[in-house]
Amino acid sequence: MENIFNLKISLGLIPATEARVSAKCKVAYDALTESLSEDELLHIDETSNNYRGKMGWSWIFANPVTTVLKWMASRGKKVLQEVIPEYHGYVISDRYNAYNHFDSNNRQVCWAHLLRNFEKFAGSSFPEVRQFGKLLVSYTGRLFAIYRGYKKGIIEREYFIRHAKKIRRRLYKYLHHISVQSNSEYIRKQAYNILKYEDMMWCFLQDIENIPLTNNHA
């Protein structure tokens, strides 16, 4: 500021100015936060962040119209209870336990996260896990392909739904095999935990025009 604008300011003036701007924005910010509960679709994610010199969390609540960022000291369910205590729309997220705050019938689990889980199975040192892991990755790729084809208008709605249901049966079979046949208790638990969210993996079939497969927007 001094070199370019010949304006001398103290270091303390910067956070003081930020606080003043934040106070001016508070009414609009609170209004945006309240509007989240009215939206039919909400992407949510969180990541670690410094919070007043300690470990904190940056939360994002987003849809195509509104984005709200919050810096919180907690990663727990209480953040969701505070920000959107009453929400009945569709939530797109990963499988983090805090999101069990929402109705499971309205939750879409992110397929980008699931694909990473499947890729770990495919890279396993256990042959039986690696075999089914590769199949999981392959069929997930098919799901993404027909989803893109539907979105581009290349394939019809009925074709997409029919083949998505076929893929669903295949994936359930492969995950079940891993959950009961793997020699690794840790891997069996991983597959079992994914299966607990099986219905939420396919929530998008309720409204394929509006519910996305991934949480990439957040």
Side-chain angles (χ1 to χ4, degrees), residues 123-162:
S124 172
S125 59
F126 296 97
E128 75 283 359
V129 176
R130 186 165 62 249
Q131 173 191 355
F132 290 120
K134 288 180 179 179
L135 289 169
L136 288 167
V137 170
S138 175
Y139 276 92
T140 301
R142 295 186 189 186
L143 177 62
F144 277 117
I146 62 172
Y147 182 75
R148 287 193 296 268
Y150 172 73
K151 285 295 184 179
K152 292 179 179 179
I154 299 173
I155 63 175
E156 296 181 352
R157 173 189 174 87
E158 292 74 16
Y159 178 94
F160 171 76
I161 293 176
R162 184 170 65 252

Side-chain angles (χ1 to χ4, degrees), residues 74-113:
S74 171
R75 193 192 180 197
K77 184 167 62 175
K78 64 182 182 181
V79 173
L80 301 172
Q81 293 170 333
E82 176 185 333
V83 178
I84 41 176
E86 295 291 335
Y87 183 70
H88 304 291
Y90 291 105
V91 171
I92 298 89
S93 69
D94 57 26
R95 291 184 293 114
Y96 176 45
N97 287 338
Y99 298 119
N100 292 336
H101 166 68
F102 301 107
D103 184 350
S104 61
N105 293 319
N106 291 347
R107 276 189 63 194
Q108 174 60 54
V109 170
C110 174
W111 276 89
H113 285 80

Side-chain angles (χ1 to χ4, degrees), residues 3 8-9 26 33 39 42-43 45 56 72 76 78-79 87 92 95 111 119 125 147 153 159 163 169 199 209 211 217:
N3 291 340
K8 294 184 179 181
I9 62 171
K26 188 176 187 306
T33 303
D39 297 322
L42 200 56
H43 292 260
D45 203 1
M72 308 292 283
K78 64 182 182 181
V79 173
Y87 183 70
I92 298 89
R95 291 184 293 114
W111 276 89
E119 288 172 341
S125 59
Y147 182 75
Y159 178 94
H163 281 264
R169 290 192 292 270
D199 285 341
E209 282 77 20
I211 304 176
H217 182 71

Side-chain angles (χ1 to χ4, degrees), residues 1-9:
M1 295 298 290
E2 183 175 1
N3 291 340
I4 298 175
F5 299 108
N6 195 30
L7 179 65
K8 294 184 179 181
I9 62 171

